[in-house]
Amino acid sequence: MIEKDFVVEGLRRTRIDEFLEKELERAGYGGMDVQVTPMGTMVVVYAERPGMVIGRGGKTVRAITQKLKNKFDLENPQVEVKEVDVPELNPKIMAHKIAAMLQRGMHFRRVAYTTMRRIMAAGAQGVEVTISGKIRGARSATAKFTDGYIKKCGEPSTKHVREGFATVQLKPGVIGVYVRIMPPDVVLPDKVDIEAPKVQEAPSEEPVDEIQDLEEVEELEDIEELEELEDIEDLEELEDIEDLEELEELEEDLEAEEEAETQDEDGEESEK
């Protein structure tokens, strides 16, 4: 059945991962990926120190390839080693480092806070470190340390959050270390970007038409003002002409009165 084939393939990948983790613990094992190609099976190994995985003259890689072929029945296995770009963002590497520090006798709280600071300084969005076992005394206990923002449920927690696990044997018993990291490049589905409103600019033709209309109105107003001024000047001229005519008439009347008076005076003198 197809379902059975998937289960068998998953179990084989898990066994290969556990085998490589034991063999490459000192090299900073950071996970693996199995790719089936027409030429054979490609096993990509991620490590903090790839030189230790390859070995002198490729001796270690050849030994691992032979073990993968004999132990896990892989068809023409080919091992490719890649270096981990940022070890602080790889949960497997950080879990093994915590286990190594605990084995050296360091206090679990100090180890957890130091590791979280390094992970957050590398740019992670969030980290969770869980240390369980006989860490305080004879009874088993669990200490959980978190920093930043990390998803706990739903599809983002299984799709984006990276997980790593390591164990260490101490005198009181076995201590388990579980590290979960949310990488910095994760975009959550509930993220909302608020954009600034776009201001729509009016076409350039309309303002020109409005300006032309305004200029025409101003010209008409200027013309009307000029016409009013001309009318006023005409009226003033007419008034001046009328005033002159009145003055001339007054002068003529005065002259006629003076002549009449002189004639009267001459007549009176002749009679005397």
Side-chain angles (χ1 to χ4, degrees):
M1 295 176 68
I2 298 176
E3 293 85 355
K4 186 178 180 180
D5 294 338
F6 279 112
V7 173
V8 171
E9 184 65 24
L11 288 173
R12 185 165 64 173
R13 285 173 182 261
T14 304
R15 290 170 58 199
I16 293 171
D17 187 29
E18 291 176 353
F19 165 74
L20 293 174
E21 186 175 355
K22 290 179 181 179
E23 291 288 329
L24 307 173
E25 184 177 357
R26 294 181 58 190
Y29 177 72
M32 65 94 192
D33 188 17
V34 179
Q35 300 173 0
V36 180
T37 63
M39 300 297 295
T41 306
M42 176 69 70
V43 180
V44 183
V45 179
Y46 300 95
E48 185 180 4
R49 294 179 289 275
M52 296 183 67
V53 179
I54 297 171
R56 183 175 296 179
K59 182 179 178 181
T60 308
V61 172
R62 286 196 296 269
I64 291 172
T65 304
Q66 192 64 31
K67 288 180 181 179
L68 289 174
K69 183 178 181 180
N70 298 331
K71 191 174 181 179
F72 301 102
D73 297 330
L74 295 180
E75 183 180 354
N76 190 17
Q78 299 175 4
V79 178
E80 182 182 355
V81 184
K82 289 186 178 181
E83 184 179 0
V84 179
D85 296 331
V86 185
E88 288 77 11
L89 297 178
N90 191 296
K92 284 183 175 290
I93 295 175
M94 300 312 295
H96 283 290
K97 286 188 176 182
I98 291 173
M101 287 188 282
L102 291 174
Q103 196 170 16
R104 289 198 295 268
M106 296 178 66
H107 195 266
F108 70 95
R109 289 184 185 277
R110 182 181 176 186
V111 171
Y113 285 120
T114 303
T115 306
M116 284 195 304
R117 280 196 297 269
R118 289 180 59 186
I119 293 171
M120 294 301 293
Q125 295 188 28
V127 57
E128 180 184 273
V129 177
T130 305
I131 302 175
S132 58
K134 295 181 180 180
I135 54 178
R136 297 192 184 95
R139 287 193 174 186
S140 179
T142 300
K144 187 178 291 185
F145 308 89
T146 58
D147 192 5
Y149 179 78
I150 189 167
K151 278 288 186 181
K152 296 292 189 70
C153 61
E155 184 183 2
S157 65
T158 58
K159 184 178 179 181
H160 300 299
V161 179
R162 301 175 182 174
E163 301 177 355
F165 180 76
T167 58
V168 56
Q169 180 69 46
L170 300 180
K171 287 182 180 180
V174 179
I175 305 295
V177 180
Y178 186 60
V179 179
R180 301 175 75 238
I181 298 174
M182 179 176 281
D185 56 348
V186 172
V187 179
L188 298 175
D190 59 349
K191 183 181 178 182
V192 178
D193 294 330
I194 300 175
E195 297 181 356
K198 295 181 180 179
V199 180
Q200 295 182 355
E201 296 182 357
S204 59
E205 297 178 356
E206 294 181 359
V208 173
D209 295 339
E210 291 179 358
I211 291 167
Q212 290 177 355
D213 295 340
L214 290 172
E215 290 177 353
E216 291 176 358
V217 171
E218 290 176 355
E219 288 177 359
L220 289 171
E221 290 178 352
D222 293 338
I223 292 166
E224 289 177 357
E225 289 178 357
L226 289 171
E227 289 178 352
E228 289 178 358
L229 288 172
E230 290 176 354
D231 294 339
I232 291 167
E233 289 176 355
D234 294 340
L235 289 172
E236 289 178 351
E237 288 179 358
L238 288 171
E239 289 176 354
D240 294 339
I241 292 167
E242 290 176 355
D243 293 339
L244 290 171
E245 290 177 352
E246 288 179 358
L247 288 171
E248 289 176 355
E249 290 177 357
L250 289 172
E251 288 177 355
E252 290 177 355
D253 293 339
L254 289 171
E255 289 176 357
E257 289 178 357
E258 288 177 357
E259 289 178 358
E261 288 178 355
T262 52
Q263 288 177 3
D264 292 338
E265 290 176 357
D266 292 340
E268 289 177 358
E269 289 178 357
S270 61
E271 287 178 357
K272 290 180 179 181

